[in-house]
Amino acid sequence: MGQTDACPFCDIMLAVPAVIACANVGDVDNAERYLSLAKASAAHWEGTAWEAAVLEARAHLAKARGESAEFLRLIDEAAQQFRVAGQPLDVARVEAARRNAQPVAESTRRTAGATLV
């Protein structure tokens, strides 16, 4: 997709996975940038599973920051909202993420493209 190929309704479909991917490799700055896009797009989808997806993304970002308690709170809230929205595959995915949660190692956490040691 090009930079001008954007849709405020559709941005969430790419932004949420981008948050999770960036957070999972410790790229907090880019995860935060994509989270802003996801939140803005989710505002157009009130009352849907996309709100749960943003919670899931926020959970992964919390984990990347080393905020274990916040990760657990957000991932549990995401699972509950996915349940309410009738999305069993999403529930299974976030519950698996909770079971397999391991903090991102300090040596892989990155800020502004630089690896912190």
Side-chain angles (χ1 to χ4, degrees), residues 12 16 35 38-39 41-59 74 77-82 84-85 87 90 93-94:
I12 196 163
V16 166
L35 182 59
K39 286 178 176 180
S41 185
H44 298 289
W45 297 100
E46 189 174 338
T48 68
W50 286 118
E51 292 173 323
V54 170
L55 287 169
E56 178 185 6
R58 288 178 53 207
L74 290 166
E77 192 175 339
Q80 180 57 30
Q81 285 195 19
F82 279 131
V84 168
Q87 300 296 322
D90 293 320
R93 182 187 61 252
V94 297

Side-chain angles (χ1 to χ4, degrees), residues 33-108:
R33 184 171 60 85
Y34 286 115
L35 182 59
S36 292
L37 287 172
K39 286 178 176 180
S41 185
H44 298 289
W45 297 100
E46 189 174 338
T48 68
W50 286 118
E51 292 173 323
V54 170
L55 287 169
E56 178 185 6
R58 288 178 53 207
H60 283 272
L61 184 54
K63 185 173 108 175
R65 291 181 180 136
E67 300 167 356
S68 299
E70 183 69 355
F71 166 77
L72 294 174
R73 185 188 73 74
L74 290 166
I75 208 76
D76 288 345
E77 192 175 339
Q80 180 57 30
Q81 285 195 19
F82 279 131
R83 236 180 247 102
V84 168
Q87 300 296 322
L89 297 177
D90 293 320
V91 172
R93 182 187 61 252
V94 297
E95 287 178 345
R98 188 187 205 289
R99 282 191 307 274
N100 300 323
Q102 300 212 3
V104 175
E106 280 295 320
S107 62
T108 61

